[in-house]
Amino acid sequence: MSDIKKIKDEYLNKLKNDLKIENLNQIKTELFGKNGQISNLFKKIGTLSQDERKKFASALNIVKEELQEKINFKIKEIEDKEINSKLESEKVDVTLPEREISQGKIHPVSQVIDEISSIFSEIGFSVEEGPDVENEHYNFTALNTPDNHPARDMHDTFYLDQNKKLLLRTHTSPVQVRTMLKGKPPFKIIAPGRTYRSDSDQTHSPMFHQVEGLHIDKDINMGHLKGCLNFFIKSFFEIDKIKMRFRPSHFPFTEPSAEVDIGYEIKNGKIVIGEGNKWLEILGCGMVHPNVLKNVNVNPNKYQGYAFGIGIDRLGMLKYGINDLRAFFETDYRWLNHFGFDPLDVPSNYRGLSR
Ligand code: DAH
């Protein structure tokens, strides 16, 4: 019994001091830990006679509770103190000037993709997507570009395996194939996205962007192609009149094929689209080759249509006066701040996305 009293007096005394949380934890271990003084007394109970046992256990329990309560009270006291002093020192100073918020900008390429999608959606095109890592079949063979076709070299392809089966898509045209394979005609889609070729200079980057267009139905002809491109170019450059010419060309996946140039001139050092007698190539197009339609199980005797591929970065450079294509992808914050768009910076021809 005297042991209990000794411990009680000793520790109640100790707890009168100014203690820190660490000291209190230390005391807890000394008393109630595995080899703590109170714990050891509990172990002793079994050795006592029946009579003593009851008295001893009840006295021990009372002291145990008293000490525990005291310790917990002390801990709470310290914690409250800490919170109060924190509240004291962290008062909100309403007179402080506000912090500067730096808002992000929309990259010109994203902006142009949104504008293009918006314009084509107005004339009934929906947006499709395909993977950047493409297989050889969708990128070439299904597009009437067989194994030894010279167009394969022209594309400076990044192959991803020894057997040249996997590659980074060299154009967005494989999305035509994917779209037609998974659905039934008619098709009227555009497919914007990243494309890759091993090429780099002021106007070429190994990663660049294209938008593919495809319109297949029962009686689609080159007149529709011309009307569609005419509408698109006028809307995109926000002008009423453009000069546009179709130049005969060759693509394995179209017949006939053409490249489209638009007229421009340089006025006061700035490029003006739609006037003058200089020509600028902006896209490739044509009537989808019957072989391509056969490859995707579309009957070329029933269905026909046009396709086109436009360089997105090129359009952005022209519209927003950006000279070096590589700057698009250098992620220079100052450049982005200058050429980027605020989220609410909507060009006059932008009528919202209907995706
Ligand atoms: N895929 C072509 C390229 O990357 C562009 C192109 C031309 C796409 C004609 C077409 C097309 O759909 O009909 O150079």
Side-chain angles (χ1 to χ4, degrees), residues 285-300:
C285 61
M287 298 302 290
V288 177
H289 198 292
N291 287 349
V292 175
L293 295 176
K294 279 184 212 154
N295 290 340
V296 295
N297 313 318
V298 172
N299 183 350

Side-chain angles (χ1 to χ4, degrees), residues 139 143 154-155 170-174 176 195 197 208 210-214 225 249-259 281 283-289 306-311:
N139 196 82
L143 286 162
M154 264 161 48
H155 277 197
T170 57
H171 51 178
T172 40
S173 304
Q176 280 188 30
T195 44
R197 288 180 207 175
F208 57 106
Q210 283 190 342
V211 58
E212 188 76 12
L214 174 75
L225 169 62
S249 184
H250 172 78
F251 299 103
F253 30 89
T254 42
E255 180 59 38
S257 305
E259 274 167 309
E281 178 201 322
L283 63 94
C285 61
M287 298 302 290
V288 177
H289 198 292
Y306 60 82
F308 55 84
I310 312 175

Side-chain angles (χ1 to χ4, degrees), residues 308-327:
F308 55 84
I310 312 175
I312 290 178
D313 317 285
R314 186 93 188 266
L315 285 187
M317 288 167 78
L318 284 173
K319 182 165 176 179
Y320 296 113
I322 299 164
N323 295 326
D324 192 335
L325 173 68
R326 289 167 299 191

